Amino acid sequence: MAPNGTSARGSSGASTVAELVRAQWGDHRVGAMYGDLVLTHHELAGGAAARAALLGELLPRDAPPHLGVLLGNVPEYPLWLSAAALAGAAVAGINPTRRGPELARDIRHTDCALLVTERAQLPLLAGLGLPLPPERILVVDDPAHRELLAPYEGATPDEITAGGRGGAGAPTPASRMLLYFTSGSTGAPKAAVCTQGRLAAAGHSLAGYLGVRRDDVHYLCMPMFHGNAVIAGWAPALAGGAAVALRRRFSASAFLPDVRRYGATCFTYVGRAVQYLLATPPAPGDRDHSLRCGFGTEAGTVDAARFAERFGVRLIEGYGSSEGGAAIQRTPDTPPGAIGRDAPGGDLAVVDPETGDELPRGRLDPAGRLLNGERAIGELVNRGRSSFEGYWRNPEATAARTRGRGEGRAGAGWYWTGDLFFRDTEGFFHFVGRTDDRLRVDSENLAAAMIENILARYAPAAGVAVYAVPDPVAGDQVMAALALRDSAAFDPDGFVAFLAAQPDLGTKMAPRFVRTMAALPVTATHKVHRVALRRAGFQCPDPVWWSPVAAADPAAPARSADPAGRAYRPFTTADRTALLALYRAHDRTALLGR
């Protein structure tokens, strides 16, 4: 795949997203597809210019030029992204799965002076008391919206960026472009700032990395209110002069039909979406498509191999923090299971989260299994310059990313990713999990993602999530949620046999509790909703199996060091009552449900 990052007017040198949009003008190739609707690059640029001119009239001069976009993945989304770029405004992607005061909070927090939405989303806004007058809520599929745009039809991108037709002058690389909420697991979401310069640079970099060609079609099925679809899908397509095909929301059953219909060659993903696709019934035509690659995160080695075997498509695991603070480059010699190496001139390291000390390199056996995880796994930091541009109106969270850790503030000025990694003896970085997915079992630190990678080999499970539940005495216990294929029944003896056959399952890794489910809960960005799983713990509506120990205290968790010696039985109401009494006896009840 030879990189080709140029479009019809040589956008490879563009330093702003506005320049990339302007480069579409005069290009009459297909630029976007959605159902039966087909728009050329030229039509996209013209539509963006008209909307940018409207923005110039509607955005108040005494407030930040921010517009919220509350839409599904419909053509209006990239049109308004492009319009904001031309007008020097910033788009706040509003998550339609948020509700009530939390939804209103997101709009208010990002100082949206304008809200672009559609009729399907209007019930979400009813009664919220938004800080916006009705005339600044634009409903794109309402006939009144077309009438509002009519006077601005015919505006050109050059005219807008030159300051005419309501334009404020040419945007610069430092102009804010995106305010996108990170998919944090706790607390109010943080709105990360991304400037036009950073987004354009990311587009160019990924266009080269993925070998984007002008005849490519990027299938955008991940939600565009999140950075995954915009930064890793739309931006490289724009920089490389490729087309995009849109799906309002992800659908596993519609995935291959869409790919075939649009001739899609690339798509972005998160790990849970890959699991959904693998869970669809196999068919003889699974390899009958135009896809060349998928690019995303957290697919896992097992699922990536299954995907390649079934669909004939290579999944390229990337790593780049949403905030832009750290990135890892995949090289041709990157071994299976690894993400890649530090970029040239970079200074990434894996350090102890408390002291900031760099940790020993991870040692792998011939099968690629980590032998010294208890010493090698730590937090990935960037000790050099980063492109982190902060969080909007959240100086505390911004400072927390860079002010260091531990009593002596070790690592002040570094960018702390919040992600667990280890670095092998050859210098390759391996993703392990999130810092909030860390478990401490019998004084040993474990990473949930590593246990998940092992349990993913359990054939009856279509999806696996591992998380901590508090131990009634000290530390954590391991709990696993298994989404069983075709509503299969859980076989406790078979599961024990499976655990015993895994040579890389550490003595503390076997789950104490197993929750069986039809499907794992997911966030709006199709990531496993571990917060919901942790909060429910073993007090959930689904069947739970556990491995107690035959000891003087029947509620005490098993401490057997041999997974093969375990036995799982249903977790009954009597078990729960006895276990909760033990939490109370040790004054740890308050830890449950967090």
Side-chain angles (χ1 to χ4, degrees), residues 81-342:
L81 282 172
S82 298
L86 293 174
V91 167
I94 306 301
N95 182 345
T97 68
R98 302 268 281 172
R99 293 292 186 272
E102 297 303 314
L103 179 64
R105 177 263 173 198
D106 293 349
I107 296 169
R108 187 176 297 108
H109 175 72
T110 45
D111 293 317
C112 293
L114 193 71
L115 181 65
V116 178
T117 188
E118 55 190 334
R119 283 181 286 189
Q121 313 291 355
L122 290 179
L124 301 180
L125 305 175
L128 289 190
L130 296 176
L132 293 169
E135 63 270 18
R136 289 191 185 161
I137 299 178
L138 307 184
V139 183
V140 297
D141 51 354
D142 190 299
H145 181 254
R146 177 54 56 189
E147 296 175 9
L148 192 63
L149 269 178
Y152 305 97
E153 299 289 352
T156 68
D158 286 346
E159 190 177 16
I160 298 297
T161 55
R165 299 294 292 272
T172 70
S175 299
R176 278 191 305 277
M177 174 70 211
L178 299 175
L179 297 170
Y180 55 97
F181 290 100
T182 60
S183 53
S185 58
T186 58
K190 303 180 290 291
V193 174
C194 180
T195 59
Q196 290 214 26
R198 179 155 80 88
L199 186 57
H204 288 308
S205 177
L206 284 172
Y209 177 60
L210 298 174
V212 176
R213 303 186 294 245
R214 296 182 68 211
D215 59 353
D216 275 332
V217 177
H218 283 210
Y219 181 51
L220 303 183
C221 55
M222 295 290 98
M224 293 191 72
F225 62 77
H226 191 257
N228 176 290
V230 174
I231 298 175
W234 179 70
L238 187 65
V244 296
L246 298 151
R247 155 70 53 176
R248 172 177 281 277
R249 62 181 63 88
F250 174 77
S251 167
S253 61
F255 181 83
L256 278 182
D258 274 357
V259 165
R260 297 181 183 116
R261 176 180 190 175
Y262 300 124
T265 56
C266 185
F267 73 104
T268 61
Y269 64 84
V270 295
R272 186 60 184 139
V274 171
Q275 290 182 344
Y276 281 138
L277 292 170
L278 289 171
T280 58
D286 279 345
R287 289 186 171 222
D288 180 19
H289 55 72
S290 51
L291 278 179
R292 188 174 70 235
C293 67
F295 178 68
T297 61
E298 300 180 13
T301 305
V302 172
D303 283 346
R306 290 174 178 169
F307 198 89
E309 180 180 359
R310 176 173 167 185
F311 298 106
V313 177
R314 182 169 62 108
L315 298 184
I316 303 172
E317 282 283 302
Y319 178 83
S321 66
S322 299
E323 295 85 349
I328 295 173
Q329 289 188 346
R330 190 174 190 87
T331 54
D333 58 340
T334 299
I339 300 296
R341 297 181 184 272
D342 197 354

Side-chain angles (χ1 to χ4, degrees), residues 147-543:
E147 296 175 9
L148 192 63
L149 269 178
Y152 305 97
E153 299 289 352
T156 68
D158 286 346
E159 190 177 16
I160 298 297
T161 55
R165 299 294 292 272
T172 70
S175 299
R176 278 191 305 277
M177 174 70 211
L178 299 175
L179 297 170
Y180 55 97
F181 290 100
T182 60
S183 53
S185 58
T186 58
K190 303 180 290 291
V193 174
C194 180
T195 59
Q196 290 214 26
R198 179 155 80 88
L199 186 57
H204 288 308
S205 177
L206 284 172
Y209 177 60
L210 298 174
V212 176
R213 303 186 294 245
R214 296 182 68 211
D215 59 353
D216 275 332
V217 177
H218 283 210
Y219 181 51
L220 303 183
C221 55
M222 295 290 98
M224 293 191 72
F225 62 77
H226 191 257
N228 176 290
V230 174
I231 298 175
W234 179 70
L238 187 65
V244 296
L246 298 151
R247 155 70 53 176
R248 172 177 281 277
R249 62 181 63 88
F250 174 77
S251 167
S253 61
F255 181 83
L256 278 182
D258 274 357
V259 165
R260 297 181 183 116
R261 176 180 190 175
Y262 300 124
T265 56
C266 185
F267 73 104
T268 61
Y269 64 84
V270 295
R272 186 60 184 139
V274 171
Q275 290 182 344
Y276 281 138
L277 292 170
L278 289 171
T280 58
D286 279 345
R287 289 186 171 222
D288 180 19
H289 55 72
S290 51
L291 278 179
R292 188 174 70 235
C293 67
F295 178 68
T297 61
E298 300 180 13
T301 305
V302 172
D303 283 346
R306 290 174 178 169
F307 198 89
E309 180 180 359
R310 176 173 167 185
F311 298 106
V313 177
R314 182 169 62 108
L315 298 184
I316 303 172
E317 282 283 302
Y319 178 83
S321 66
S322 299
E323 295 85 349
I328 295 173
Q329 289 188 346
R330 190 174 190 87
T331 54
D333 58 340
T334 299
I339 300 296
R341 297 181 184 272
D342 197 354
D347 192 12
L348 299 183
V350 177
V351 304
D352 185 306
E354 299 299 325
T355 66
D357 295 333
E358 189 164 1
L359 295 176
R361 298 292 178 97
R363 292 183 291 105
L364 302 172
D365 69 9
R369 302 183 181 100
L370 181 62
L371 300 174
N372 61 334
E374 72 283 352
R375 298 187 63 228
I377 295 173
E379 185 167 352
L380 181 72
V381 298
N382 184 355
R383 301 180 296 195
R385 295 184 60 185
S386 79
S387 57
F388 175 51
E389 296 171 310
Y391 299 109
W392 180 253
R393 286 180 49 193
N394 198 334
E396 296 82 7
T398 299
R401 282 291 185 193
T402 57
R403 68 186 179 190
R405 304 283 174 84
E407 187 175 344
R409 311 316 305 168
W414 298 350
Y415 178 83
W416 293 76
T417 66
D419 292 332
L420 298 175
F421 273 79
F422 70 87
R423 193 176 194 179
D424 66 28
T425 55
E426 301 300 317
F428 293 100
F429 288 95
H430 299 245
F431 176 75
V432 175
R434 310 297 182 191
T435 52
D436 62 356
D437 290 336
R438 183 190 298 271
L439 302 86
R440 190 164 179 83
V441 179
D442 293 347
S443 299
E444 288 191 20
N445 290 323
L446 305 175
M450 289 198 69
I451 305 174
E452 285 178 355
N453 287 338
I454 296 172
L455 298 187
R457 305 168 193 155
Y458 183 55
V464 176
V466 170
Y467 46 98
V469 293
D471 185 279
V473 179
D476 301 317
Q477 297 176 9
V478 179
M479 186 163 183
L482 305 180
L484 299 177
R485 300 181 189 278
D486 302 321
S487 301
F490 179 66
D491 175 9
D493 293 335
F495 187 65
V496 169
F498 162 79
L499 294 177
Q502 308 310 307
D504 51 342
L505 185 75
T507 60
K508 310 297 182 184
M509 291 182 176
R512 185 70 55 210
F513 297 94
V514 176
R515 176 180 179 179
T516 57
M517 316 174 68
L520 298 176
V522 294
T523 66
T525 55
H526 301 284
K527 295 184 178 180
V528 174
H529 201 327
R530 287 183 178 80
V531 172
L533 292 169
R534 277 199 304 267
R535 286 175 177 165
F538 51 75
Q539 302 184 83
C540 60
D542 296 305

